Amino acid sequence: MAITLNNGFKMPIIGLGVWRMEKKDVRDLIINAINIGYRHFDCAADYHNEAEVGEALAEAFQSGLVKREDLFITTKLWNSDHGHVLEACKDSLKKLRLDYLDLYLIHFPVATRHTGVGTTDSALGEDGVLDIDTTISLETTWHAMEELVSMGLVRSIGISNYDIFLTRDCLAYSKIKPAVNQIETHPYFQRDSLVRFIQKHSICVTAHTPLGGSVANTEWFGSVSCLDDPVLKGLAEKYKKTVAQIVLRWGIQRETVIIPKTSKLERLKENFEIFNFELTKEDMELIRTIDRKYRTNQPAKLWGVDLFA
């Protein structure tokens, strides 16, 4: 099952996110995911495992397990490389062992002090606050992203963590419209106004953190996961599915692409088994009532500044 992007390319509606995936585990998880049926992998320079993903992909291609054209590979430009878009893209391609990317995203709508291509540092100033570069505009970065398409290095370009205002601005100055806006959205952070706005303008919404962060964000940010919600647990019993499967099914019925992350084989299989049932309209409305407007991915705790305030 796939969503057709505004440039005609198709993006599988479920992918595997590799954030916080241990380097030693990457190979088996990628190969197992392909065997299960995953054809979409969501990477980022900042995840520090592009090289390991690249090794796994190369093995999959060389063994005949899958062809390059059958996969959809996303990676992202880090904040410190906004002034070095071409070099950063080439660095990611080299690590991933690919000739082109299916999708390249601006990871966050902020440029920070450059620390060297591929280093993806979040440099802090003497005050302990993220060192934001005020000389590079998002418009400048976007036009550099557009050049990547012209060069054939990237098929689609997009944005990530952009709100309504920043998305509107990108639409105003873009020559190539963003194909995707990847945002945090899950039952506790539904963001219906933002999702509707993005989709109204023919931009695909990809839901990062589609399960509400679960263990990963609890460990890093002390946040609460929606997977313990009694409403969702009740629906899991009703449909004889896991809570995670209910949440992921809700995501695709909103016509959002979902990229759950897991390091466990059983979860990898479970997260993919969401196409043999459908939530009723009433149950979709029931899930709407548990929205807490609660962000679980909170980089402010690392950067000393809340970019989303």
Side-chain angles (χ1 to χ4, degrees), residues 29-263:
L29 283 165
I30 296 291
I31 298 300
N32 285 331
I34 292 172
N35 280 322
I36 289 168
Y38 288 84
R39 294 295 180 265
H40 173 188
F41 296 94
D42 183 84
C43 314
D46 188 53
Y47 300 165
H48 298 286
N49 56 16
E50 284 180 316
E52 288 72 24
V53 172
E55 290 175 6
L57 293 176
E59 178 183 335
F61 299 149
Q62 290 165 6
S63 68
L65 179 61
V66 70
K67 297 178 181 178
R68 169 65 184 98
E69 57 267 29
D70 295 329
L71 296 186
F72 191 101
I73 309 297
T74 300
T75 197
K76 308 178 189 77
L77 174 78
W78 186 240
N79 308 336
S80 56
D81 287 332
H82 276 227
H84 303 266
V85 173
L86 176 58
E87 301 97 315
C89 180
K90 286 184 174 179
D91 184 66
S92 287
L93 283 169
K94 181 179 179 180
K95 290 174 179 173
L96 290 166
R97 303 191 188 188
L98 298 175
D99 295 324
Y100 69 91
L101 295 169
D102 295 279
L103 177 64
Y104 197 44
L105 302 176
I106 298 175
H107 203 148
F108 282 96
V110 61
T112 61
R113 172 158 49 92
H114 184 59
T115 55
V117 170
T119 59
T120 66
D121 285 343
S122 294
L124 304 182
E126 293 181 0
D127 57 358
V129 174
L130 190 67
D131 195 353
I132 295 174
D133 187 338
T134 59
T135 68
I136 304 172
S137 71
L138 292 177
E139 180 175 356
T140 298
T141 301
W142 185 255
H143 291 321
M145 296 281 284
E146 291 173 327
E147 285 298 314
L148 301 177
V149 179
S150 300
M151 297 172 68
L153 297 177
V154 175
R155 287 186 168 178
S156 303
I157 51 176
I159 52 184
S160 182
N161 299 301
Y162 276 49
D163 62 15
I164 286 178
F165 302 110
L166 292 174
T167 303
R168 188 215 70 88
D169 279 357
C170 190
L171 286 167
Y173 56 64
S174 61
K175 297 174 183 176
I176 299 175
K177 303 298 182 187
V180 170
N181 187 358
Q182 184 178 128
I183 60 172
E184 177 180 347
T185 179
H186 47 78
Y188 276 2
F189 197 43
Q190 298 185 24
R191 311 178 84 181
D192 278 343
S193 293
L194 177 57
V195 169
R196 286 198 302 268
F197 178 84
I198 296 168
Q199 292 175 336
K200 176 182 178 181
H201 291 279
S202 302
I203 301 171
C204 172
V205 176
T206 295
H208 75 66
T209 326
L211 296 173
S214 192
V215 175
N217 283 358
T218 298
E219 289 178 353
W220 273 36
F221 308 120
S223 50
V224 175
S225 171
C226 63
L227 297 183
D228 294 321
D229 190 273
V231 168
L232 297 175
K233 286 183 175 181
L235 290 174
E237 291 182 12
K238 174 181 176 180
Y239 287 91
K240 293 181 172 53
K241 294 289 182 178
T242 66
V243 177
Q245 288 172 324
I246 295 295
V247 173
L248 295 176
R249 182 70 206 186
W250 171 81
I252 65 171
Q253 286 186 216
R254 296 176 89 202
E255 298 184 335
T256 63
V257 171
I258 52 173
I259 46 171
K261 176 262 178 187
T262 184
S263 58

